[in-house]
Structures are given as structure tokens and as C-alpha cells.
Amino acid sequence: MPTIPIKTDLLIIGGGINGVGIARDASGRGLSVMLVEQDELASHTSSASSKLIHGGLRYLEHGEFRLVREALRERSILLRLAPDLIRPLTFVLPHAPHVRPAWMIRLGLFLYDRLGPRGGLPASRAVDLAPGHFGDGLKSRFRRGFTYADAQVDDVGLVRANAIGARQRGADIRTHTRFISAHRIEDGWRAMVRSMETGTEFEVDARVVVNAAGPWVGSVLDLMAGSKPERPPRLVKGSHIVVRRMHAGDHAYILQNPDGRVVFAIPWQGEFTLIGTTDIEWTDDPSAPAITPQETAYLCDAVNEWFERPIGPADVIRSFSGIRSLYDDGKSSASQVTRDYVLAEGPHMLSVFGGKITTYRRLAEHALAKLERYFPDMTPEWTADAPLEEDPQCAT
Ligand SMILES: Cc1cc2nc3c(=O)[nH]c(=O)nc-3n(C[C@H](O)[C@H](O)[C@H](O)COP(=O)(O)OP(=O)(O)OC[C@H]3O[C@@H](n4cnc5c(N)ncnc54)[C@H](O)[C@@H]3O)c2cc1C
């Protein structure tokens, strides 16, 4: 017997940070929201990040001032709203004149300190890297460096907290539920979704569909009758390795690589150092990306250039990879493609390309601003002053 379609204002596809961020914001503004996630919440890109809430110092080199300014502002807001999930982290940047001259680093840090609010974090400064403290673990030839502050996040916890906040405001969040297809109806879309646990399919009539499917953003567009993306997203794999802790102290290192990229070495769960990332063009299925031996070698080499204790593949305790779905801005190199987000609009629909965990809250505000014409009675922005809900499973 045919079932009656469920009616909702927004159908959000994707339970990563962007999907749940939009769900929480929208449900707080009085919209009815259904979110479908084919796996668990945060089971893809949003749990494979470097776990930083950061302005993105290196993006300044690519002239991404809008993104850095917004990300720095978000950093200060999120530090205030989620102090249990997001903590300040000092970064040490050892100086190597053959990679970047000191004036360039000073200029970058000068801008980084001023482009957005610091939110109580200390300003950058030049430091001595003599053995002990900031020089700990580094080769003795690196004597000068700089410090600046950013923050570290429990990425899965942040997704869960947003989902809890959305649920508390009435959102219907369904995990293990896959969006299958959609076609246009008079005032929106009729979507078919399937429970991955029971195989049951049901229909949803949504005024607007929000495609926050991360690396599947292009595939989801293909499933929506008549909605072809202008350009398919650029999929870029990034991998991390975890090794036994490489230095004492609570600070992280940002290491300059001869190819112009940077690699982070971040204290991780007390005993470990998290090292990443790589930037590799990706054309396969995004479900289960894995690190290659070449990426492991690249990350070990990057660290071995700076640290006294050399590491190799045998030292890797764990690795994980994630896929960024970036807006294709035509750049040839995967590491240079913009990390900024683009919200692509179609009739009664919106697709999220790119973005950072750091900017998810503001991305949600931008997304809802674009949808205002469908929901003129929606209440105003509210999330900048509302502390994140506590997740009992993530209590520290
Ligand atoms: C290696 C790496 C390091 C990073 N480090 C940082 C960092 O330190 N700081 C930072 O701010 N950002 C970082 N990022 C960026 C950040 O992780 C991503 O921008 C963000 O997680 C993207 O979230 P999302 O919600 O768009 O995608 P995802 O988290 O991938 O969520 C999309 C979801 O959609 C679901 N989905 C897809 N198709 C369907 C369907 N048909 N039906 C139902 N569900 C579906 C998927 O299962 C998935 O869970 C990093 C990214 C990578 C790859």
C-alpha cells in the first residue's frame, strides 16, 4: 500500500558537520527539518580532519583573505560556545630561511593576528628554539622560530553536539538512511529515502533539499532529476599518520615542506603525535579512502627533515584518510584549490561545496540566508550566542 509522504520544510542530505550545522540553525529558526545520513553521524570527512579550528595561516599565501578572516572570527566564536570540545593550541613554526624568508613569515603572522579577533588567544611572537620547551625533539640546527595560537577540536563531538542541538529543537535526524532520488513537485521536491537497516523506502516532500553530502555532493546532484552541477566537485584525499609522541609539551608544530606545503605534528591523546596531511587528487569511490605507502613516506620525510628522532612506516600506529569535496576553481594543483565554500543554488535546493569544520556555523547562516525567499517567516540568526549542547558521550 503506498504510504503518505512525510512533509518537511528542509530535507538535509548528509550528517557531517555541514549537514548538522544547518539542521541545528534551521530548526532553531522554526523550520521543520529532516536530516538523512546513510551511515553514522560524522563517519566520513568530518571525522578524518586534522582536528583544528584555525584561520588557516597557509591560506594567506594563496590570497584567501575572505576565508581566513571568516575562519578567525569563527575560531573566537566557537572557543566561546564550545569550550569543552575546542581548546587553544600553540603552534611552533621553526624557521628555515631556505623555504621562506623571515620577513614573509613575520608578515603572514602580522596579518594572522589582525585579520580577525583573537578571542583571548595570545599574539604570535618570535621564539628561541634552544633544547627544552619549544625546541624539544627538533634537530639542533633549528634555533629560531615563531609561535602563534589556534585551537584543537573534537571533530566527532562537535558533529554530535550540533545534532543533539538540532534534535532538541525538533529536527528529525535519521542515521543509516540513504537519499535515493528526487523529482520536482509543485512547491519543492519529492524525495525517496531508504532505511539501510530495514530496506524500507519512504517518500519525503520537502520545500527545499539541502545537499550537504560532502564527497558525494556531485552524486547526489545526479540523483536529483534535472540538476546537473555546473562543474563536478574536485575530490582531494588527505591522510594522517599517528606515531608515538615525538616531543614533550602541549604545543604543536607546523613544518614547512620543500614543496611549499605545510605538515602539522600535533599532540594527540596524550601518548601520540598526529601528523598530516597530504593532498592527493581522488577519483574513486569516497566511501573508504586509505593511505598509500607514498603518502606515508611523504609524511615521514616531512617530519624527519625537522625532528631528531627519525620515523618510518614501521613507526606508524594508525592512519586515516578523508576526502575533501572542493569547489573546482580551475587550479592545477590539489593543494592550491580553494578551501573556501561555495553554496550552489538551484530551484528549491542548495548544494554545499568545500568548507572547513571551522566555518560550519557561518556556512549554515549563509545557507539559510539564501533560503530566506522560501521561508520569509524564519526567525533571525541565533547561533553566534548559543552555547553548543552537551553530548553526554563526549563529557571530558
Ligand atoms: C585530511 C583533511 C583534514 C582536514 N582538516 C581540517 C581541519 O583541521 N580543520 C577544519 O576546519 N577543516 C578540516 N578539514 C575540512 C573538513 O573536514 C571538511 O570540510 C568537513 O568535514 C566537511 O563536512 P561535510 O559535512 O561537508 O562532509 P562529510 O563529513 O563527508 O559529511 C557528508 C555526509 O553525507 C553523507 N551522505 C552522502 N551521500 C548520502 C546519501 N545519498 N544519503 C544520505 N547520506 C549521504 C555521507 O555519509 C557523509 O557522512 C579537513 C579535511 C580533510 C580531508
Side-chain angles (χ1 to χ4, degrees):
M1 200 171 73
T3 52
I4 299 167
I6 298 172
K7 286 197 184 311
T8 185
D9 289 332
L10 288 192
L11 172 64
I12 300 174
I13 304 162
I17 190 65
N18 288 324
V20 295
I22 296 170
R24 177 174 182 261
D25 193 340
S27 51
R29 294 198 204 188
L31 302 190
S32 58
V33 173
M34 176 182 282
L35 181 149
V36 291
E37 164 54 52
Q38 62 188 353
D39 296 316
E40 290 287 344
L41 295 174
S43 49
H44 294 282
T45 320
S46 297
S47 55
S49 80
S50 303
K51 289 121 194 16
L52 300 178
I53 295 295
H54 62 158
L57 181 61
R58 83 176 183 87
Y59 307 144
L60 290 176
E61 250 179 1
H62 301 298
E64 300 228 41
F65 296 107
R66 194 213 78 81
L67 172 61
V68 176
R69 189 177 291 115
E70 182 172 294
L72 289 171
R73 182 166 174 266
E74 287 306 299
R75 184 186 67 181
S76 70
I77 292 175
L78 293 176
L79 274 165
R80 179 165 49 79
L81 300 183
D84 292 340
L85 296 170
I86 300 170
R87 301 214 169 102
L89 180 63
T90 299
F91 278 84
V92 177
L93 192 161
H95 179 49
H98 62 285
V99 196
R100 282 177 190 84
W103 67 262
M104 191 185 277
I105 306 276
R106 282 183 202 280
L107 176 63
L109 291 171
F110 178 86
L111 289 172
Y112 205 64
D113 280 345
R114 285 164 182 78
L115 269 176
R118 288 213 309 274
L121 296 174
S124 63
R125 65 188 174 99
V127 287
D128 184 358
L129 299 184
H133 205 37
F134 290 142
D136 187 70
L138 294 182
K139 289 179 177 167
S140 56
R141 68 169 187 273
F142 301 115
R143 283 302 168 90
R144 291 174 59 207
F146 303 87
T147 59
Y148 68 94
D150 263 323
Q152 191 169 29
V153 62
D154 169 354
D155 49 8
V156 176
L158 193 65
V159 171
R160 291 180 55 87
N162 275 277
I164 288 169
R167 260 201 190 119
Q168 285 176 0
R169 292 171 179 82
D172 180 358
I173 299 209
R174 303 196 183 197
T175 54
H176 301 284
T177 305
R178 179 174 288 163
F179 166 81
I180 302 294
S181 63
H183 62 267
R184 280 300 312 276
I185 51 175
E186 196 188 332
D187 195 24
W189 291 87
R190 176 159 295 171
M192 179 68 80
V193 300
R194 178 186 301 148
S195 160
M196 304 306 286
E197 283 163 343
T198 62
T200 317
E201 293 191 347
F202 58 96
E203 289 179 325
V204 182
D205 283 357
R207 288 281 316 278
V208 172
V209 173
V210 175
N211 173 3
W216 288 269
V217 63
S219 330
V220 164
L221 275 170
D222 288 341
L223 297 172
M224 299 189 66
S227 300
K228 269 270 162 239
E230 237 177 85
R231 304 182 195 197
R234 185 95 172 254
L235 300 186
V236 176
K237 179 175 67 158
S239 298
H240 292 85
I241 55 173
V242 177
V243 299
R244 200 160 50 78
R245 193 169 179 130
M246 302 211 51
H247 67 277
D250 295 334
H251 55 277
Y253 288 95
I254 174 168
L255 306 171
Q256 305 173 70
N257 216 41
D259 61 5
R261 298 185 64 255
V262 295
V263 167
F264 295 115
I266 303 170
W268 179 239
Q269 295 182 346
E271 311 164 51
F272 307 108
T273 299
L274 177 67
I275 299 165
T277 70
T278 53
D279 275 319
I280 310 284
E281 213 76 51
W282 186 260
T283 48
D284 288 349
D285 174 16
S287 314
I291 196 166
T292 60
Q294 290 79 4
E295 287 177 277
T296 302
Y298 174 90
L299 293 173
C300 291
D301 288 350
V303 162
N304 291 343
E305 179 70 18
W306 300 88
F307 277 84
E308 198 79 75
R309 170 165 72 87
I311 57 164
D315 297 296
V316 175
I317 293 165
R318 211 197 127 194
S319 66
F320 60 90
S321 306
I323 307 285
R324 305 174 197 266
S325 69
L326 303 176
Y327 182 75
D328 190 354
D329 58 2
K331 292 271 165 49
S332 57
S333 145
S335 66
Q336 285 178 0
V337 183
T338 181
R339 263 54 175 165
D340 210 346
Y341 55 83
V342 171
L343 300 172
E345 288 177 87
H348 293 261
M349 69 171 298
L350 192 73
S351 298
V352 177
F353 290 81
K356 308 277 301 164
I357 289 183
T358 308
T359 51
Y360 85 92
R361 193 204 63 83
R362 187 67 185 132
L363 181 152
E365 285 181 342
H366 279 145
L368 289 170
K370 285 190 181 288
L371 301 183
E372 213 160 353
R373 63 196 156 115
Y374 300 111
F375 308 110
D377 297 334
M378 182 165 64
T379 55
E381 292 175 0
W382 61 278
T383 57
D385 294 312
L388 261 288
E389 288 67 24
E390 276 192 25
D391 177 356
Q393 284 190 26
C394 293
T396 46

